[in-house]
Amino acid sequence: NQDLDFAFKDAISRIESMSTLYEKLYKSESYGSLSIKDYLSQLVTEIFEIFPKEKDIALELHIDDIEIETSVLFPIGIIINECITNIMKYAFTNKESGKIQIFIIKNGNNISLVVQDDGSGLPSGFDRKKLESFGLSLIDMLVDQLEGSFEMENDNGTKCTIKFCI
């Protein structure tokens, strides 16, 4: 069952996300903050490797090197995990190849996190507020925790934009 397989991979990637953060904290000289670039580069690669390589999916990371409090890194890691999982589940069902891009840009105290794919895009009439999706509900809760905003839109695929202040 493919749904069960993805549920299992999603659970594994959530655990990986926590494990990677704790490993980085353990090796860090400062427990209060870490480089988001170091943390997410490793985390995204680990999450991406959980999924089968049946399709040629390229991963591009454009992450500013920012020191961020660990209390903020954890929700960011889970959000990115959920976005990648959704992309791997839905974006490339009718494609043999594709691209996932992750951008994290700091402008003053404002952080923009964008996860974008060049897959099939959101279905017509898509309304995430009406969906009963654990992953999207989890993203909404974590974005609320960050006191940020979350948007999903079609943009040559699906584009998720999360904005918050640090």
Side-chain angles (χ1 to χ4, degrees):
N1 184 334
Q2 191 174 9
D3 286 340
L4 187 58
D5 189 40
F6 271 116
F8 183 66
K9 284 181 172 64
D10 193 23
I12 289 171
S13 58
R14 284 189 186 116
I15 293 166
E16 284 284 340
S17 156
M18 289 182 276
S19 171
T20 300
L21 178 59
Y22 290 125
E23 180 183 332
K24 290 281 185 195
L25 284 173
Y26 181 72
K27 291 179 180 176
S28 170
E29 293 182 19
S30 165
Y31 291 111
S33 64
L34 289 172
S35 162
I36 194 168
K37 186 172 190 167
D38 290 347
Y39 168 60
L40 290 180
S41 296
Q42 179 181 350
L43 176 66
V44 169
T45 301
E46 289 175 4
I47 293 169
F48 196 67
E49 287 175 356
I50 291 170
F51 293 93
K53 304 292 178 259
E54 341 176 300
K55 299 179 185 227
D56 184 23
I57 309 298
L59 180 62
E60 292 181 11
L61 302 178
H62 309 275
I63 301 173
D64 287 352
D65 196 6
I66 312 161
E67 286 285 318
I68 292 193
E69 292 181 18
T70 54
S71 61
V72 175
L73 280 177
F74 184 72
I76 292 171
I78 296 294
I79 288 167
I80 288 176
N81 171 63
E82 294 303 320
C83 290
I84 292 172
T85 300
N86 282 340
I87 290 168
M88 297 305 283
K89 275 181 174 176
Y90 305 114
F92 305 115
T93 53
N94 298 322
K95 295 180 85 177
E96 291 303 312
S97 64
K99 179 169 54 176
I100 300 170
Q101 296 177 296
I102 299 174
F103 300 87
I104 297 184
I105 299 156
K106 182 179 183 206
N107 185 3
N109 287 335
N110 299 312
I111 303 287
S112 293
L113 162 62
V114 177
V115 181
Q116 186 166 7
D117 64 68
D118 64 352
S120 54
L122 299 169
S124 178
F126 177 84
D127 183 352
R128 80 170 202 273
K129 298 290 185 188
K130 293 181 181 177
L131 267 171
E132 291 184 24
S133 163
F134 176 75
L136 290 176
S137 296
L138 182 57
I139 291 173
D140 279 328
M141 287 184 336
L142 293 169
V143 169
D144 285 347
Q145 181 181 325
L146 294 171
E147 298 179 7
S149 64
F150 172 37
E151 294 178 12
M152 288 180 80
E153 62 184 317
N154 280 318
D155 185 358
N156 295 317
T158 301
K159 179 178 180 181
C160 296
T161 304
I162 291 138
K163 294 182 179 182
F164 60 95
C165 293
I166 55 169

